[in-house]
Amino acid sequence: MHFLFGAQLSEAIIESAARCSNACLVSGFIKSDFLQRLNIGQNCKVEVFSRWRLSDLVSGASDLQAFEEVANRGGRFFINPKLHAKVFVFDDTVFCGSANLTASGLPRSDIAGNIEAGVVMPMSRGVADLISTLRHDSLLLSKDIFEQIKNEVSQCEAEAETYSNEGHSRMPSAFENAVLLKSERTLTGYELPWTESPGDLLLGESALSEVVHDLELFYLKKGPSRASIASAFLHSRCHSWLVRNTQEPISFGGLTAKLHADLRGDPLPYRSQIKNLLRNLLTWAVECDSDYFHQTYHRRTTSYQSSRKV
């Protein structure tokens, strides 16, 4: 294992990349010219993992074109909202450090770019386990999903005055929908709001476990605005689940049964907890999606229906 920093690190990475036949690149941020910057050969098999939150794409921290460059070479491009690691594998050589796949992260000289540091080491079981975990937990981008994300980013850029950085911290809705559809499970108790209403994030103590959970769940910072809370909820997996299951009017009891059947995870919530989680979800929907989500009171029950199309 060797420790490198600055231009030495960039030069060593580029040298290994230029002669490899298999490259696996893990980087939170990624710019469109990274394949040329690394001088990766046309015949090299490329696999890429990046974060791709809306804030990354709208701000330009990451480029949409990076996917097209990988796809044009027949490579695979995965996205994962939790990704912050920087690990580059070239055949059996591994670089692990602070550098992203950007011009600042891989400067050609010590005068330009960031001061990055890392270690170079042989391939190990731990690195293989990391890559295997990322393949399992990340979404493999298809051209169709990419086009949906591209359109959503364009819409965010066109409406820049109504989108705060905080709101962009969520993932693109195409990502959330695709993950929910491909997943072996529909939801876990963690993926439902724990606060009783969105207002709790505005008024509640930031140290309360329920508030902390929901801020993390919806990728929100402390003290969020009401608009950013609503935007994050409308692009969440729990909202997608609710919309799909309320295309026709359904009672609270009927929704409880559906949620009980769909929840996965260990340990499963008790039935009473499921009802409380559902009540939270319904309150969030009524407050954040009032134009499309409707509740109708009957003599002995309440029914719910979404007019959004799935």
Side-chain angles (χ1 to χ4, degrees):
M1 182 182 296
H2 299 286
F3 178 81
L4 300 170
F5 69 94
Q8 285 183 328
L9 175 63
S10 298
E11 291 170 2
I13 291 174
I14 292 171
E15 181 181 348
S16 294
R19 63 172 185 258
C20 76
S21 56
N22 291 277
C24 181
L25 308 171
V26 180
S27 179
F29 302 133
I30 185 168
K31 299 296 285 186
S32 58
D33 62 348
F34 77 98
L35 290 174
Q36 292 180 339
R37 178 168 289 274
L38 292 175
N39 198 24
I40 292 180
Q42 288 291 332
N43 295 325
C44 179
K45 182 179 179 181
V46 178
E47 194 171 41
V48 175
F49 298 86
S50 194
R51 190 173 75 163
W52 266 34
R53 291 185 184 179
L54 274 180
S55 58
D56 305 338
L57 300 172
V58 173
S59 68
S62 289
D63 290 342
L64 287 163
Q65 292 77 14
F67 163 77
E68 295 176 307
E69 293 177 3
V70 173
N72 289 339
R73 290 194 178 205
R76 304 203 299 172
F77 197 108
F78 296 82
I79 56 177
N80 188 312
K82 298 180 179 180
L83 188 60
H84 196 259
K86 295 90 175 174
V87 179
F88 311 143
V89 182
F90 306 110
D91 294 332
D92 294 326
T93 302
V94 180
F95 292 87
C96 180
S98 62
N100 284 295
L101 290 174
T102 64
S104 296
L106 296 173
R108 299 299 177 93
S109 73
D110 289 327
I111 299 176
N114 300 326
I115 300 176
E116 307 286 0
V119 296
V120 56
M121 60 187 183
M123 185 64 174
S124 68
R125 177 64 180 271
V127 176
D129 288 345
L130 168 65
I131 295 171
S132 177
T133 298
L134 286 174
R135 288 186 185 125
H136 181 269
D137 293 343
S138 305
L139 176 68
L140 176 61
L141 271 184
S142 65
K143 290 185 178 180
D144 179 60
I145 296 174
F146 169 74
E147 289 298 328
Q148 294 178 53
I149 293 176
K150 184 177 180 180
N151 290 337
E152 187 171 357
V153 170
S154 296
Q155 182 179 351
C156 289
E157 292 172 338
E159 301 174 0
E161 68 278 5
T162 64
Y163 282 82
S164 66
N165 288 335
E166 175 189 338
H168 292 158
S169 65
R170 60 178 171 82
M171 290 297 288
S173 56
F175 167 86
E176 297 289 4
N177 293 334
V179 167
L180 196 57
L181 289 174
K182 77 148 193 166
S183 182
E184 296 176 357
R185 52 150 179 83
T186 46
L187 289 173
T188 67
Y190 185 86
E191 293 171 301
L192 295 164
W194 287 7
T195 55
E196 294 182 359
S197 77
D200 291 342
L201 301 190
L202 298 171
L203 305 175
E205 294 290 337
S206 59
L208 291 176
S209 60
E210 294 84 357
V211 173
V212 171
H213 167 271
D214 287 358
L215 291 175
E216 292 180 353
L217 174 65
F218 298 119
Y219 307 117
L220 295 169
K221 298 178 181 178
K222 291 181 180 179
S225 66
R226 188 174 295 276
S228 62
I229 293 173
S231 175
F233 174 72
L234 295 179
H235 292 83
S236 67
R237 298 179 199 176
C238 58
H239 178 257
S240 297
W241 178 90
L242 186 61
V243 168
R244 288 203 315 274
N245 285 283
T246 54
Q247 289 295 288
E248 300 293 335
I250 185 172
S251 67
F252 181 85
L255 270 178
T256 301
K258 284 182 175 290
L259 183 56
H260 190 273
D262 286 349
L263 276 180
R264 298 292 184 269
D266 186 22
L268 285 173
Y270 292 110
R271 186 172 293 275
S272 61
Q273 293 175 312
I274 291 177
K275 288 183 178 180
N276 290 335
L277 290 171
L278 179 58
R279 290 191 185 97
N280 294 347
L281 178 60
L282 293 171
T283 301
W284 274 73
V286 168
E287 294 190 24
C288 295
D289 198 20
S290 57
D291 291 339
Y292 294 91
F293 190 76
H294 313 285
Q295 59 179 349
T296 304
Y297 296 100
H298 305 282
R299 179 175 296 181
R300 296 184 178 180
T301 188
T302 304
S303 63
Y304 304 89
Q305 184 175 15
S306 175
S307 56
R308 289 185 182 273
K309 302 302 180 183
V310 294

